[in-house]
Amino acid sequence: MGRGRLPGWSALLALLPCAALAQPCSGVVYLTFDTGNMRHAELIAETLRKHDVKATFFLANERTARGDYSLDASWGSYWKQRADEGHAFGSHTWRHGRIGPDTGDGHMKYRPAFGADEGRSVTLSPQDFCAELKRPDEALRAQTGRGLDAIWRAPGGRTTPAALDAARTCGYAHVRWAPAGFLGDELPSESYPNEALLAQALRNVRDGDVLMAHLGIWSRHDPFAPMIDPLIAGLKQRGMCFRTLREHPDYRAAQPPVALAAARAAR
């Protein structure tokens, strides 16, 4: 054919933008990170940017590997960048305390990992527990201009009926993780090497699963954070798309806590 010949399909496809060639999702997963000691916070942020993946961060004011705390003003630029990138945020309690047992009348025991009551069991009323959940919201709002989404995760995933009820009252829905979504970054690397944990996740994660890891863990000798890169790549190769918990069917209809409080005050 002469010069007027239309380009073949291969040439046409080469001219199309990558987004136009994207395959539909075979499933959706929700990648979440708890604060931890923040040692690998920058690496994880770079990995998310590399893959154009939005995640959900659960924030507690934890002691970090550089000697400050994860919600200090010194981390403000980090959280501002994540907010500007479109990530979601939930509460992980302010002092990353162990919750339980319940003591009656809606009260519960709480053992803070940080702060004035570090390591000591205290009793919280429902109002006290709401204040504990809301303090990360106040810190994030001061640093980024936006607050938390209407979600929280208990440290270690351990809740009680009183804690769940109190959180619902002040506008927060609790988020667990799927069994296959436990990425194992807090397990001893001597017994659970990175390659085995990565292979397990790539094999077992399914559509709808919530995945959980940390921005840094004190105890693990061989950090799992570098595996987030091949994990995302491998799940994408399986056709998985990544979404924040704002888009999860169980949480996207929830009102932000501030809006909920305002609505109640107006009644």
Side-chain angles (χ1 to χ4, degrees), residues 150-212:
I151 51 177
W152 74 290
R153 172 177 287 154
R158 302 180 183 92
T159 62
T160 69
L164 292 171
D165 286 346
R168 279 192 291 267
T169 298
C170 54
Y172 292 89
H174 189 254
V175 178
R176 302 186 185 276
W177 55 83
F182 176 73
L183 298 179
D185 66 340
E186 58 196 282
L187 299 174
S189 54
E190 296 77 12
S191 304
Y192 300 90
N194 282 339
E195 293 75 11
L197 291 176
L198 174 63
Q200 176 178 276
L202 290 175
R203 181 174 60 250
N204 295 335
V205 167
R206 295 291 181 268
D207 176 34
D209 281 354
V210 175
L211 283 55
M212 187 276 292

Side-chain angles (χ1 to χ4, degrees), residues 6 78 85 105 112 126 134 145 158 190 193 195 205 225 230 236:
L6 292 173
Y78 180 85
E85 289 165 352
D105 297 325
K134 289 179 179 178
R158 302 180 183 92
E190 296 77 12
E195 293 75 11
V205 167
K236 281 191 169 184

Side-chain angles (χ1 to χ4, degrees), residues 24 53-54 114 121 133 156 179-180 193 209:
V53 161
K54 303 296 183 286
F114 308 103
S121 182
L133 290 178
D209 281 354

Side-chain angles (χ1 to χ4, degrees), residues 212-263:
M212 187 276 292
H214 299 78
L215 297 179
I217 287 291
W218 293 105
S219 58
R220 188 174 176 87
H221 180 264
D222 186 15
F224 184 78
M227 298 295 102
I228 300 297
D229 188 340
L231 174 68
I232 292 174
L235 290 174
K236 281 191 169 184
Q237 191 173 24
R238 285 180 47 196
M240 294 292 181
C241 294
F242 289 80
R243 301 286 184 266
T244 71
L245 288 172
R246 282 196 297 264
E247 301 162 274
H248 191 290
D250 290 347
Y251 310 113
R252 62 189 173 202
Q255 293 187 64
V258 172
L260 185 62

Side-chain angles (χ1 to χ4, degrees), residues 20-63:
L21 302 178
Q23 297 298 315
C25 302
S26 64
V28 173
V29 293
Y30 305 88
L31 182 58
T32 72
F33 294 97
D34 297 348
T35 39
N37 69 16
M38 303 291 287
R39 186 186 302 273
H40 306 292
E42 293 292 352
L43 172 61
I44 288 171
E46 291 170 9
T47 301
L48 296 175
R49 283 195 299 269
K50 172 184 175 181
H51 292 281
D52 192 24
V53 161
K54 303 296 183 286
T56 302
F57 295 88
F58 286 93
L59 308 184
N61 195 38
E62 300 192 58
R63 190 177 292 115

